[in-house]
């Protein structure tokens, strides 16, 4: 049940101001998460929620705009991560003439997003919700590096969103104890498991079940950038 899926592959010719599709869920083999891809343009999105029991982690893959959570409005841009706490709702608005392309991960319940007529209140116990790329926070792993975006500092529990850079190389085959959905941000490569391989390009998502043997190869001379969310777990650098 490891697989790749191209986020925008089923986009209709006229997607309208709001378009959403599911990429990862129980029907596709996930045991701990759901991920949806959203495009928003021209006007605010519907008010969305994952319900009272789920935390939501957002990744801004392209565009600029804002994310409203309750009464708070956060400006967001390319490569930002955003946390929405259980019970909260959120709404996305793209800047004029811009399309926001967003990956939304929901943990731990296996449910999609629901629309609401009214915005739930903001949980002021965690006032900061946006994480941006910061070279000072990088963790080096040989020629590779990664940085946590959304993690416990912003209020995430048993889940971490990270951004990483992979040089032109092929990793050793390995496994993780967590489930992972990985977004290819830049560069091209090949994902391998024990019996098959598949090419990956920007906009692709790779889903890894727990304990699945795999290797990600970067074939681009300039390297590959990826963003992932792991759950259950808080350290994407651990493998075996």
């Amino acid at each position: 049940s490891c697989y790749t899926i191209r986020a925008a592959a089923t986009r209709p010719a006229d997607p309208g101001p709001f378009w959403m599709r599911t990429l990862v869920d129980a029907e596709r083999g996930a045991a701990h998460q759901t991920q949806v891809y959203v495009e928003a343009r021209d006007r605010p999105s519907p008010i969305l929620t994952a319900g009272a029991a789920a935390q939501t982690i957002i990744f801004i893959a392209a565009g600029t705009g804002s994310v409203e959570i309750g009464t708070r409005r956060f400006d967001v841009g390319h490569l930002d991560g955003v946390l929405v706490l259980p019970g909260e709702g959120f709404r996305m608005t793209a800047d004029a003439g811009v399309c926001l392309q967003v990956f939304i991960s929901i943990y731990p319940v296996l449910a999609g997003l629901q629309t609401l007529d009214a915005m739930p209140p903001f949980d002021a116990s965690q006032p900061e919700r946006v994480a941006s790329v910061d070279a000072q926070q990088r963790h080096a792993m040989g020629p590779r590096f990664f940085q946590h975006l959304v993690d416990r500092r912003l209020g995430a529990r048993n889940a971490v969103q990270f951004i990483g850079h992979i040089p032109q190389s092929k990793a050793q085959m390995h496994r993780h104890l967590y489930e992972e959905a990985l977004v290819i941000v830049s560069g091209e490569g090949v994902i391998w498991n024990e019996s098959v391989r598949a090419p990956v390009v920007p906009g692709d998502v790779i889903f890894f079940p727990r304990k699945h043997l795999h290797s990600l190869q970067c074939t681009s001379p300039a390297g590959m950038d990826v963003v992932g969310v792991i759950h259950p777990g808080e350290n994407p650098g651990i493998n075996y």
Side-chain angles (χ1 to χ4, degrees), residues 53-232:
Q55 58 188 330
T56 302
I57 299 178
I58 300 170
F59 169 61
I60 309 298
T64 57
S66 64
V67 175
E68 297 172 66
I69 307 172
T71 58
R72 293 286 306 276
R73 177 182 178 274
F74 299 91
D75 292 331
V76 295
H78 181 50
L79 303 184
D80 283 346
V82 184
L83 177 69
V84 181
L85 293 177
E88 294 182 326
F90 65 97
R91 175 167 50 200
M92 298 170 292
T93 303
D95 288 340
V98 172
C99 175
L100 273 178
Q101 299 177 20
V102 179
F103 292 84
I104 301 172
S105 300
I106 305 161
Y107 303 85
V109 292
L110 302 179
L113 293 170
Q114 306 168 13
T115 60
L116 299 174
D117 294 328
M119 181 75 79
F122 180 78
D123 185 344
S125 67
Q126 189 65 48
E128 298 300 323
R129 300 299 183 87
V130 178
S132 300
V133 173
D134 181 358
Q136 299 300 315
Q137 297 184 36
R138 289 176 178 172
H139 300 271
M141 300 170 62
R144 301 172 176 231
F145 62 79
F146 71 93
Q147 177 204 329
H148 286 189
L149 290 173
V150 173
D151 61 10
R152 184 174 288 272
R153 295 171 303 166
L154 292 187
R157 294 294 179 265
N158 208 20
V160 169
Q161 179 193 59
F162 67 93
I163 186 166
H165 178 78
I166 303 170
Q168 189 177 30
S169 61
K170 182 176 184 292
Q172 295 291 321
M173 297 289 282
H174 62 279
R175 308 174 194 268
H176 302 295
L177 292 178
Y178 48 75
E179 223 174 54
E180 180 178 16
L182 198 65
V183 181
I184 307 299
V185 176
S186 68
E188 299 183 1
V190 179
I191 181 65
W192 301 72
N193 65 18
E194 291 177 287
S195 57
V196 297
R197 62 181 181 178
V200 289
V201 299
D204 285 355
V205 170
I206 311 169
F207 171 71
F208 299 111
R210 297 179 73 181
K211 302 183 180 181
H212 183 84
L213 188 65
H214 65 277
S215 170
L216 180 58
Q217 177 184 11
C218 170
T219 58
S220 295
M224 171 187 286
D225 291 323
V226 298
V227 164
V229 179
I230 67 168
H231 174 77

